[in-house]
DNA sequence: GTCTATAGGAAGATAGAC
DNA sequence: GTCTATCTTCCTATAGAC
């Protein structure tokens, strides 16, 4: 919400990288200051204390995720392909995606124990679900089978599945390819077989 | 794997409770010793150091989860109801369930950053998926619609969905009732409509 | 095996100069 | 706004008696 100075932004970007590398649990103020190329004192000058720094970072991450999803969605011409592409975007062997997914997973995991993060998390999640629900609705136009659920339900299931698969991938329980395969089939099942998979 | 003394077991139970309350990151050796009703020195006597204590606790949690699922599955006469009941077992407003789910979520989240936990996690997850796959297979007998996916795929999707929904529930992003509703519909969609849902 | 007491160190936070 | 140097707190881990 509040405007970020260039310096503050670069600190939050560094914090995102450190969280993706060590987790919220593993973030050391000193390691963050090294990553950002500033002194620890400066972190305290800008953010007060570690807890607040974390709060701001998680806010930063979820804002960035909103922007990310929002752009990809509206720019696409074919809604049927767009849904699949948008969701599969979260399961990619790309450093940025991995960083964002890991940091997001940490946000969720931390929120379980820190109620002050829950509002932030819920708001961001709901926004994501709404974006996907809109895509689902548009997808119905080019589906071969009739809709079984409300778009909101479908969207919430698919996004929750993405989170579950993403966590399994990041924690080494399944391969990326298998996660993608499972997600693709789930999408096909939820919105019906589309032209290119028929 | 190694035999646990009564004392060790009660310490690991206490550790599970503390992790469910504070998270892995928030577990303080002193708080654990108070919870277990012993001195901190005794924890070190039995478990060496904090990291090993954590490792053993997470192993304990996943062993307990295996036993939990295994029992419920085999004892049920009606496979169609059993699948739904077994999966919904994870989404209940019961202190024990909440404790186990929270601790399990922490195990998963920690494994992202600690490779030495990943084997443990993968093994336990695969066991769970296999148990559910077996139930899915049996469920096919009383399903009204033809099977769309391999039982292994269905089981892996449903369990990943359970984890995703559980995390959203525990982090306050959705209500328990909504999570249960979404899961029920997903099960119906995956194994086909069964008799009792018409 | 279990406790009390405490050493020792890591990490968060601040003081004060520039 | 930013740094260097340092303080303080908290927490893991151990020593030694019983």
């Amino acid at each position: 919400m509040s405007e970020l100075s260039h310096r503050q932004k670069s600190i939050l970007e560094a914090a995102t990288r450190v969280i993706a590398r060590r987790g919220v649990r593993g973030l050391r103020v000193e390691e963050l200051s090294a990553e950002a190329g500033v002194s620890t004192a400066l972190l305290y000058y800008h953010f007060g204390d570690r807890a607040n720094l974390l709060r701001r970072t998680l806010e930063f991450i979820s804002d960035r995720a909103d922007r990310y999803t929002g752009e990809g969605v509206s720019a696409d011409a074919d809604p049927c392909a767009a849904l699949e592409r948008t969701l599969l975007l979260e399961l990619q062997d790309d450093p940025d995606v991995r960083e964002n997914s890991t940091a997001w997973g940490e946000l969720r995991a931390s929120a379980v124990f820190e109620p002050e993060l829950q509002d932030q998390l819920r708001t961001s999640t709901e926004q994501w679900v709404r974006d996907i629900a809109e895509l689902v609705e548009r997808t119905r136009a080019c589906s071969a089978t009739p809709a079984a659920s409300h778009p909101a339900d479908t969207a919430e299931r698919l996004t929750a599945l993405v989170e579950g698969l993403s966590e399994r991938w990041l924690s080494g329980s399944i391969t990326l390819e298998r996660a993608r395969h499972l997600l693709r089939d789930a999408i096909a099942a939820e919105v019906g077989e589309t032209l290119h998979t028929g």
Side-chain angles (χ1 to χ4, degrees), chain A residues 90-103:
Chain A
E90 310 287 328
L91 296 173
Q92 275 188 108
D93 193 10
D94 172 87
D96 283 357
V97 169
R98 202 183 178 107
E99 178 184 300
N100 230 60
S101 293
T102 306

Side-chain angles (χ1 to χ4, degrees), chain A residues 25 27 33 42 48 77 86 94 100 106 113 146 152 159 170 187 196:
Chain A
R25 305 162 176 74
L27 182 143
S33 73
L42 193 63
T86 303
D94 172 87
N100 230 60
E106 279 292 289
F113 305 100
T159 53
L170 294 171
I187 296 171
H196 61 292

Side-chain angles (χ1 to χ4, degrees), chain A residues 22-47:
Chain A
R22 308 263 184 246
V24 164
R25 305 162 176 74
L27 182 143
R28 292 293 104 96
V29 174
E30 200 165 355
E31 180 176 3
L32 169 55
S33 73
E35 176 78 27
V38 300
S39 67
T40 66
L42 193 63
L43 302 184
Y44 287 98
Y45 171 79
H46 283 298
F47 297 99

